[in-house]
Amino acid sequence: MGSSIYSISSLSRRGFLRGAGVGATVAVLSACGANERSVTSSATPTKGGTLTVLTSDTDINWDPGRSQGMAVTSLALVHRRLTSWRIVQGKEAKVVPDLATDTGKASNGGRTWTFTLKDGLVAEDGSPITSTQIRHGVERTFTASLAGGLGYHKTLLDGTSGYTGPYKGQHLKSIETPDDKTIIFHLKAPFGDWPWIVSMPAFAPVPLGDNPTTYTRKPVASGPYRVADYKQGVAATLKRNPKWTPSSDDVRTALPDTIVFSLGQESSVVAQRLIDDSADDHNSFGADMAPPARLPQVTSNPQAKARLAVGSAGPLQYLAINVERVKDIKVRQAIAYAVDRKAAATALGGEIGAAPATTYITPGIPGRQEYNLYPESTEKAQKLLNGTNVGQLVLLVSNDEGTMALAQAVGQALQKANLSVKINPVENETWVEKVTQSDGSDYDLTIASWNPDYPSANANLQPLFASSEIGSGGFNLGRYHNAEVDKMLSDVAALPMDEAKEKWAQIDRRIAQDVPVVPLVYRRNAFLHGSGVSGFFVNPFPAYPNYLVVGAQGR
């Protein structure tokens, strides 16, 4: 489910660092203090006009069954779900009702969840939005041709083994629709984060009788916008959906009359256009992160700098230690003490590029607690290693510029602690295979990035540290297996969200004691927008703009 963390039209949790600028730009960026500016646009929110989203993507998939998109990006303009996220500047993300009247009622010890739809919901084609359409939307994700979307529900719902979708008349017994407004989900085990799960694209209504091969181009909208025109590789144009009722929707402001996704745009060219802020570009923003090579030009220009939204933190970049090869915990602790997080941040552009990281749970996630078990100390690292023959450590990394810069910073810090490190750069596809599919024999250390799919600490911790996530495409890159931690993860996942918050922080610290991963930095995502764009800000989570509240206006 991987994709670059630089594009947000198809965001996923597994982001691999791409093209982070290094070298001459670092000193300039650090000195400019771009992150000191407000991260929100100053334009007055105005209803109407055309908003343009400039993206390097050459295609946008509008089929919710195949989407990995977050609840605040492109797909959510067209498709509503049972719940959504309330993203307010400076506040933690909150799960809120969307199509449903509430965030779900749990019963049967947390194994059963019931949702009731709001009154008067109507789709773009004039048909009532029903519980059966939502069930169909979920069931069709089990069809082989619709693989690739976020699939948490596939492992959480009961009785899904062998199920291949609804198109031959088969339905999941674990999803009940006793009437048009009620939908009931039966889970394999209690899961307190289910209200977050039903905010994912799969829980958008899809009318029965859809054609799964063409629905990505001709979706039936439940949100404030419909896909009015689509030109492959050129543009996707959204127009207002007249059947959408603002009184039923608390998260979408739907300010622009038209939203145009301009496809296949080169990010450096986009940055220059937004710096110039001429013609229609004043009502545009970049879907991709601002290229680091352009940032000195941005920060030296007061007008452009005022239109650079920079998050205070974001996705976690980390050093995974293969515990099956680096078995001595004292060696792993020494690595943690030896790592120079400030040098790692500098490698990614200084203050504007990244912030030093000390926890696995990322900023902006409810329940996160700040701590640092291993503050930088080369002396402590050397003391722990005294008399230990570690041998040469192989640091396997994807060979893109940003990851290589991090690898060099990590290697230099470990060498100061008398650890020998061999950096082994490979193509990204090879890296993914070696760290997620193989037996882990090719590396002692590796560098990766993680952005959770939804705002829960469970989405930070379970994918990275549950033993079930070792190999077979899982992302437990430290190959960490601890029965105590597995039980803690399972037990806390069963709790209601409010009860789980503090316990997630405790698990974060417990895992850190075993040092399967060393946090390096929280990536600071930076995005440019035109002077006519309103409601544009970047929170620590999701670390990307909230498309649902962005507006445009004339000069």
Side-chain angles (χ1 to χ4, degrees), residues 2 21 71-72 129 132 189 194 308 341 368 447 497 508 514 539:
V72 294
I129 294 173
T132 303
W194 189 251
L308 181 68
R341 293 176 176 85
R368 177 182 180 270
I447 291 174
M497 290 184 292
D508 192 320
D514 293 335
N539 268 1

Side-chain angles (χ1 to χ4, degrees), residues 1-3 14 16 18 396-398 426-438 443 446 471-475 477:
M1 284 191 274
S3 73
R14 296 177 183 181
F16 305 122
R18 292 280 185 272
L396 179 73
V397 293
S398 176
V426 295
E427 293 293 329
N428 184 65
E429 292 75 13
T430 301
W431 177 80
V432 172
E433 192 280 328
K434 287 183 179 294
V435 299
T436 69
Q437 299 285 355
S438 72
Y443 67 97
T446 192
S472 301
F475 225 63
L477 308 189

Side-chain angles (χ1 to χ4, degrees), residues 8 24 46 103 119 204 241 253 295 335 397 441-442 449 460 513:
I8 57 177
T46 304
T103 57
D119 293 330
N241 169 16
T253 57
L295 291 177
I335 292 171
V397 293
S441 60
D442 293 307
S449 171
N460 282 110
Q513 292 172 7

